Amino acid sequence: MRNLVYTGFMSLDGVVDSPGGGPGEEHRSGGWVFKDLEFVPEAWSLKGEELADTTALMFGRRSYEAFAPVWPGSEDHADYKELPKYVVSATLPDDALVDGWGPTTILRSTEDVAALKEGEGGAIFIHGSAELARRLSDAGLIDQYNLLVFPVLLGAGKSLFGRADRDKYMLALRESESYPNGILKLVYDVKR
């Protein structure tokens, strides 16, 4: 069985919307990950650590459409280029997939994601894709959260966690660290 890991940047009030502030990120505080905060290199070490565990990437349609034109040519994301990619979308046409960015498969439903997890292989990492993460979390399919929590309150925007009435589930803290600029690294396993 494969693990499904959500990795992302989150404000202290749970917003994951528009951390980089680039195209397609219309939040009024877009770019909050890089603005008004001292750069502390060790706060970003989680991203390098994840690479060793990543065997595939998963995106929702909107995140795929935002990342696919940029990441294939990005030096910062070169190690992801040939990894298998999965896009979860009921509406993305097959001919919308970007060439030259490794093998990409469209999954049309949450059930398709569950079937993929049952197969052989290593961890699949979800980058961005807040709506997809909420849907997969509500379906009990996410196994781990790798979060960098930033010392900012955004007040509004896309949240990582849904507000649906559901049974609670517990998380086990695997790893944590705090950095001088106020960023917290939190790695949680979902308890089953």
Side-chain angles (χ1 to χ4, degrees):
M1 182 153 178
R2 302 179 80 171
N3 276 347
L4 191 55
V5 179
Y6 179 84
T7 179
F9 308 121
M10 187 170 75
S11 69
L12 190 58
D13 55 350
V15 175
V16 294
D17 201 355
S18 306
E25 296 187 68
E26 280 75 34
H27 190 278
R28 70 182 179 280
S29 297
W32 51 268
V33 163
F34 304 107
K35 294 178 181 174
D36 305 317
L37 198 61
E38 175 190 358
F39 178 72
V40 177
E42 59 269 22
W44 300 93
S45 64
L46 177 63
K47 294 293 145 199
E49 295 162 10
E50 288 174 344
L51 191 54
D53 295 330
T54 303
T55 63
L57 300 174
M58 183 176 286
F59 304 99
R61 180 188 53 82
R62 283 188 208 105
S63 290
Y64 177 79
E65 289 174 339
F67 296 155
V70 178
W71 280 25
S74 166
E75 193 173 303
D76 290 340
H77 301 97
D79 291 324
Y80 293 130
K81 187 170 183 174
E82 297 305 321
L83 288 177
K85 309 213 181 32
Y86 299 95
V87 183
V88 183
S89 174
T91 59
L92 185 71
D94 291 332
D95 63 0
L97 297 178
V98 172
D99 291 328
W101 197 30
T104 305
T105 304
I106 299 174
L107 304 175
R108 297 296 181 188
S109 67
T110 302
E111 291 77 19
D112 290 345
V113 175
L116 175 66
K117 281 187 49 134
E118 292 296 324
E120 296 293 319
I124 304 165
F125 279 70
I126 301 170
H127 291 260
S129 308
E131 292 174 34
L132 173 64
R134 281 193 306 273
R135 197 166 72 235
L136 297 179
S137 177
D138 288 346
L141 294 175
I142 294 185
D143 301 294
Q144 182 178 321
Y145 292 94
N146 290 5
L147 303 173
L148 289 178
V149 180
F150 286 72
V152 60
L153 301 173
L154 297 174
K158 294 177 186 171
S159 174
L160 174 57
F161 303 106
R163 302 289 183 244
D165 184 14
R166 56 170 285 178
D167 291 338
K168 76 172 181 182
Y169 62 94
M170 299 297 296
L171 304 176
L173 183 63
R174 175 189 289 201
E175 185 179 348
S176 67
E177 195 161 345
S178 62
Y179 303 100
N181 61 358
I183 294 175
L184 297 174
K185 174 173 79 171
L186 302 171
V187 178
Y188 288 104
D189 293 319
V190 177
K191 293 172 82 171
R192 306 250 190 250

